[in-house]
Amino acid sequence: LLSWCSLHSVRFRSLVCGEPAVIIRDGKLEQAAMRRNRLTLDELLEALRAQGVTSLGDVKYAILETSGQLSVLLRADCQPATPRLYVQDDVFLPEVIINDGRLLRGNLERLRLDDAWLKKQLRRCRAHSPADVFLLTVDERGSVVCVRKEEATP
């Protein structure tokens, strides 16, 4: 019953499972998020060291997942060496706008996006309404990912 409710209700899933929290953004600690999640500085530093990170300044994002794990995304110039001619900051955190057909209006407003922008994105992915979309995200540089529901018709 809990699994079924979690699958069909974003609010219930959020209540039971929680939501991921950004703990570090561009090398800066999000202290309010740490307090809300009862994450001590010692625990954070330990989790960073476990992933081979020794400097907060190297971290683009650190996200405390609902499982309790810390996901760390390094700045582009701090990632392991690869054969590139230049280094470009290409790590951007996507924000979920539509989750399984449900519009997350708070995220839309936080990003200062409006209904006209949303309608344009829905047209681009050939969806009539948010109910036709399984996932719609937008990142800080404006890149949009839209995945239609499998049962939605074009």
Side-chain angles (χ1 to χ4, degrees), residues 97-105 118 122 127-135 149:
I97 303 299
I98 298 176
N99 180 339
D100 196 7
R102 293 172 187 89
L103 175 61
L104 305 178
R105 186 150 304 273
L118 179 61
L122 291 174
H128 300 292
S129 72
D132 297 334
V133 177
F134 186 66
L135 176 68
K149 285 187 176 180

Side-chain angles (χ1 to χ4, degrees), residues 95-97 103-113:
E95 188 79 39
V96 177
I97 303 299
L103 175 61
L104 305 178
R105 186 150 304 273
N107 292 355
L108 190 70
E109 292 169 355
R110 185 173 42 258
L111 294 172
R112 295 187 171 98
L113 300 173

Side-chain angles (χ1 to χ4, degrees), residues 8 15 47 87 108 116 125 129:
H8 294 290
L15 177 68
V87 174
L108 190 70
C125 79
S129 72

Side-chain angles (χ1 to χ4, degrees), residues 20-30 33-34 39 44 47-48 51 53 55-56 58-65 69-75 91 93:
V22 177
I23 302 298
I24 300 174
R25 185 184 309 269
D26 288 323
K28 306 257 188 296
L29 291 173
E30 299 283 337
M34 289 179 66
L39 179 68
L44 174 62
L48 289 172
Q51 295 193 35
V53 177
S55 171
L56 292 176
D58 293 348
V59 179
K60 179 76 174 183
Y61 298 105
I63 302 149
L64 183 61
E65 304 293 354
Q69 294 288 96
L70 188 71
S71 297
V72 178
L73 304 170
L74 298 175
R75 288 191 356 249
V91 178
L93 188 63

